[in-house]
Amino acid sequence: MTSQPTRVRSRTGGTAAGGGDGTTPRLRRGWPAAAVLVALAAVPVLPLHLPVVFTGPLDSPGVLHLLSLMCVMAAVAVTYDLLFGFTGLLSFGHGLYVALGMYTTAVVLNATDLGLVAALGAVVLVGLVVPLVLGAVCLRVSGIAFAMVTLAFAQAGAIFVIRDPFDLTGGELGLVLDYRKLPVWLVGVFNAEYRYWLALALLVVVVAAVRWALASRPGRVWLAIRDNEQRVAVLGLRPYTFKLLAFVLSSVLASLAGAVYALVVGGAHAEVIQPTFTLGLLVMVVLGGSGRAYGALVGGLVYTYLEHRLGDLSGSVQELPAVLRAPLMEPLLLLGVLFVLLVLFLPGGLVSVAGRGQPDPAGRIRAALRRWRAR
Amino acid sequence: MSTFVLMTVTGLGLAALYFLVASGLSLVFGLMHVLNFAHGAFLTLGGYTAWLVTDASGSFPLGVVAGMAVAAGLGALTETGLLRRMHGDHVPQVLLTVGLLLAFTALVRAAFGSDLRPLAVPDWLVRVTHLAGAPVPNSRFLLIGVAVAVYLAMAAFLSRTRYGLIVRAGVENRAMVTALGIDVRRAFTLVFAIGAALAALAGALVAAVNGAVSPEQGLTLLIFAFIVVIIGGLGSFHGSALAAVLVGLLQQYANFYAAVGSGDLIVVLLLAGVLLTRPQGLLGRSLA
């Protein structure tokens, strides 16, 4: 929200960065990211046991499933941040496009004999056309009104999915993928590592695509629109076209993530189209740091991890009184409070604490508290 | 004919709920430019307070009043304690209210569980009255009566009182009002508290109509209230009333005469139509 475009440019390191700025050799800057990636890809073959962090060894199906969910949600958060953090579009309907990917995958797989590749092709096609039409309408208004309109369309989608007028989406129960029509390597508890690799590949593709887009010419315009839309218009560019471009790109990537999500959880369910899902995305992005390199990625990973593990973690502490335990079993309570505190005291999110240039996180929090009292 | 009367009265009852939620949202937005998601929390708060107080005292009206009072107090506290500190930053303010809604809903779920909690309402509320041959539940008349009373009271407040004048002037041009030496912030707190109380009233009435309270009831109603606010025009009090009647009736007729669920979709289509032809809403001036 407040970071300058220059900051983003200077951090576009990593293997997938489009243009380097020439001050550092690109290969050397790519090393840490490549090392992390290799380590992550090797997780399914490591019989490592991290006691409190995970329930079992790293290569067990349960842990791999959680890691897959974390990757998928982080990918969705990155696509959301493209809209919110980098283009300045606050959408409350992003879940609609994730659901679009999930349900298209499930319907095409189950209802036809075309197979997985055709299903993914359908996801891309539907994921391009629907946001193009809806975005063209939503972007007629801007700011808060845009947020409310996207919310309304997502709600229409939710009603469509749950009421199921054409007997397509399975209503509240959702759809279960027909395992006979899936490739063998994606089926069954013991193939969890392939689903994990798929989710990791999705995350890499989405992060690479978003960074490439942000480094491109339209990407500069998006940042400019976020900072001052009027000025972009005065300079002779049509903000509407560029915003629509960002909307469609972000949505089609979200649909792709939805397709992988459907493969990871083995079906499509109506939860992703509920307003709370998109609000969760917003929390992820702000938690990590919106409009910052790696912010949404970190936020998505941390949020999804906490959402799934907070309940277990609080259950593992035996002497906890019931008054404390009940709220801890509701991850959204803690995440909501954490979110409010971050908005108030640390608008830059988690990555702003770890980032270079702010060596003293405690000092930053003290400074924020001083500003708070002064108001 | 009797079905049509029943549908009309039920539709108006729905419109009454939308109006109660939307009018507060619209005023808060018009004055402070805050899209207030915490409105949903006040709605849930109203429902649960009404349920608790009714259970303890046996009097439903007392429960409603208690819900409104608690929500108004908490609303004023939210505005002075949290929102005011980020004055002027609209997006962080929206984020803040989103966080409050999520945390509050989760808190209610942690404290009372996610199941429906039955609410004991007075007998006369569940009985029906025959109107032109149609058996209409009395609760719908209550909704309509309350909404009309609130509409008249708010209209009088806005046009006849000094604070109403400040609020209307603030919606029109906040900078000018401040420049004239009037402390708009007190009007902010007042409007926020009134909005919260109206949301709580709606929450208690929804609980009475459904005969139960649930943690998620706030969000569903909130979304349709958003739609009503946009169709009516952001910041326009009378626009909210007009749009609420339009949306409530349309939704009810379509759900009954076409297919179940089609009414909700038609409302979204209506929203799209309004945006394409008149982006500022029916009675709105211009969008922020």
Side-chain angles (χ1 to χ4, degrees):
Chain A
M1 274 168 286
T2 48
S3 67
Q4 290 86 38
T6 49
R7 151 182 229 105
V8 177
R9 283 286 302 136
S10 66
R11 295 260 196 92
T12 32
T15 44
D21 51 17
T23 51
T24 328
R26 221 201 287 181
L27 258 181
R28 235 180 69 200
R29 291 199 307 169
W31 267 116
V36 169
L37 205 57
V38 168
L40 284 176
V43 161
V45 291
L46 296 174
L48 215 60
H49 194 91
L50 304 172
V52 183
V53 186
F54 291 113
T55 41
L58 274 183
D59 57 353
S60 65
V63 172
L64 285 176
H65 184 71
L66 176 57
L67 288 173
S68 314
L69 288 180
M70 285 164 66
C71 286
V72 172
M73 283 305 128
V76 178
V78 169
T79 67
Y80 187 72
D81 199 32
L82 172 64
L83 278 184
F84 174 65
F86 291 102
T87 317
L89 291 172
L90 178 57
S91 159
F92 283 117
H94 205 57
L96 177 63
Y97 305 102
V98 181
L100 209 59
M102 276 188 107
Y103 279 97
T104 307
T105 311
V107 168
V108 171
L109 261 185
N110 286 1
T112 68
D113 283 321
L114 298 172
L116 185 60
V117 176
L120 291 180
V123 167
V124 172
L125 192 68
V126 175
L128 280 172
V129 172
V130 174
L132 194 64
V133 175
L134 294 188
V137 176
C138 294
L139 287 166
R140 295 267 301 173
V141 288
S142 55
I144 297 298
F146 172 79
M148 290 159 118
V149 176
T150 50
L151 180 66
F153 277 118
Q155 187 63 15
I159 293 161
F160 182 84
V161 163
I162 289 169
R163 299 280 166 99
D164 196 12
F166 302 116
D167 216 9
L168 209 62
T169 58
E172 277 183 46
L173 295 176
L175 295 170
V176 176
L177 291 186
D178 187 349
Y179 66 92
R180 284 163 301 181
K181 292 180 177 166
L182 282 170
V184 184
W185 52 274
L186 277 175
V187 182
V189 176
F190 287 100
N191 280 330
E193 68 253 39
Y194 291 102
R195 288 193 289 273
Y196 167 71
W197 278 322
L198 185 70
L200 187 64
L202 167 85
L203 183 59
V204 171
V205 167
V206 165
V207 169
V210 167
R211 302 193 125 211
W212 169 78
L214 283 171
S216 71
R217 275 161 177 269
R220 314 284 174 82
V221 182
W222 294 338
L223 296 176
I225 288 174
R226 176 193 68 185
D227 292 340
N228 193 338
E229 180 169 346
Q230 213 168 14
R231 189 152 173 223
V232 174
V234 169
L235 287 172
L237 296 166
R238 278 189 70 195
Y240 180 83
T241 319
F242 286 96
K243 286 197 283 188
L244 190 57
L245 189 63
F247 191 81
V248 172
L249 176 66
S250 154
S251 301
V252 73
L253 289 176
S255 295
L256 216 53
V260 174
Y261 192 29
L263 294 174
V264 168
V265 297
H269 52 78
E271 196 186 310
V272 289
I273 204 164
Q274 298 301 332
T276 3
F277 179 81
T278 305
L279 296 185
L281 292 181
L282 192 60
V283 177
M284 288 177 204
V285 167
V286 174
L287 183 72
S290 67
R292 284 158 194 265
Y294 299 120
L297 179 68
V298 171
L301 293 174
V302 171
Y303 179 96
T304 314
Y305 174 78
L306 290 178
E307 194 188 13
H308 285 87
R309 290 284 297 145
L310 267 181
D312 297 348
L313 289 178
S314 64
S316 65
V317 184
Q318 290 300 321
E319 300 82 36
L320 219 54
V323 187
L324 277 179
R325 186 172 303 199
L328 278 177
M329 296 304 271
E330 284 290 340
L332 263 183
L333 178 60
L334 285 181
L335 287 168
V337 171
L338 180 66
F339 178 70
V340 168
L341 292 177
L342 277 177
V343 171
L344 284 171
F345 297 117
L346 201 65
L350 292 178
V351 291
S352 74
V353 177
R356 283 168 295 183
Q358 291 104 17
D360 179 18
R364 274 177 55 81
I365 292 170
R366 272 200 299 277
L369 275 171
R370 266 199 301 280
R371 280 201 303 278
W372 164 269
R373 279 196 222 98
R375 267 181 285 194
Chain B
M1 182 60 202
S2 66
T3 355
F4 182 75
V5 171
L6 181 61
M7 283 304 123
T8 309
V9 179
T10 327
L12 285 176
L14 199 58
L17 278 181
Y18 290 159
F19 167 71
L20 287 178
V21 185
S23 56
L25 271 178
S26 184
L27 275 181
V28 167
F29 184 87
L31 195 63
M32 305 163 65
H33 298 276
V34 176
L35 176 62
N36 185 16
F37 271 86
H39 222 68
F42 296 133
L43 214 148
T44 313
L45 178 70
Y48 273 85
T49 313
W51 167 60
L52 285 174
V53 174
T54 308
D55 252 15
S57 70
S59 159
F60 176 67
L62 189 67
V64 175
V65 173
M68 287 175 72
V70 172
L74 210 64
L77 214 63
T78 310
E79 202 280 321
T80 51
L82 296 173
L83 286 178
R84 181 170 294 181
R85 300 191 179 258
M86 3 188 44
H87 179 60
D89 295 342
H90 302 315
V91 170
Q93 281 177 334
V94 175
L95 299 184
L96 192 75
T97 63
V98 168
L100 289 177
L101 174 64
L102 291 180
F104 186 79
T105 310
L107 182 69
V108 168
R109 220 174 318 147
F112 302 108
S114 27
D115 299 334
L116 291 171
R117 294 301 189 109
L119 172 78
V121 290
D123 283 337
W124 61 268
L125 210 55
V126 281
R127 270 187 236 125
V128 294
T129 302
H130 286 271
L131 183 79
V136 184
N138 282 342
S139 54
R140 315 292 152 155
F141 291 118
L142 176 72
L143 289 179
I144 297 169
V146 168
V148 169
V150 165
Y151 176 77
L152 294 177
M154 284 298 288
F157 165 75
L158 286 173
S159 60
R160 298 290 160 88
T161 64
R162 189 181 146 69
Y163 265 105
L165 187 69
I166 296 175
V167 170
R168 276 187 300 142
V171 170
E172 207 74 24
N173 188 337
R174 195 172 63 196
M176 183 57 87
V177 178
T178 319
L180 289 172
I182 295 165
D183 188 3
V184 205
R185 289 184 306 175
R186 231 180 299 164
F188 282 7
T189 314
L190 184 69
V191 164
F192 209 86
I194 292 177
L198 291 183
L201 177 61
L205 291 178
V206 172
V209 171
N210 296 342
V213 285
S214 74
E216 272 81 24
Q217 66 180 20
L219 196 59
T220 327
L221 199 54
L222 189 68
I223 290 169
F224 279 103
F226 280 160
I227 296 178
V228 165
V229 169
I230 301 238
I231 291 179
L234 284 161
S236 165
F237 175 72
H238 298 287
S240 297
L242 180 68
V245 173
L246 209 62
V247 168
L249 284 179
L250 194 64
Q251 199 174 6
Q252 198 66 35
Y253 289 146
N255 272 342
F256 185 77
Y257 290 110
V260 175
S262 65
D264 310 13
L265 296 180
I266 284 176
V267 166
V268 176
L269 285 181
L270 175 72
L271 172 76
V274 167
L275 281 177
L276 285 172
T277 52
R278 207 178 146 76
Q280 72 271 41
L282 294 178
L283 298 183
R285 276 166 210 280
S286 69
L287 283 178

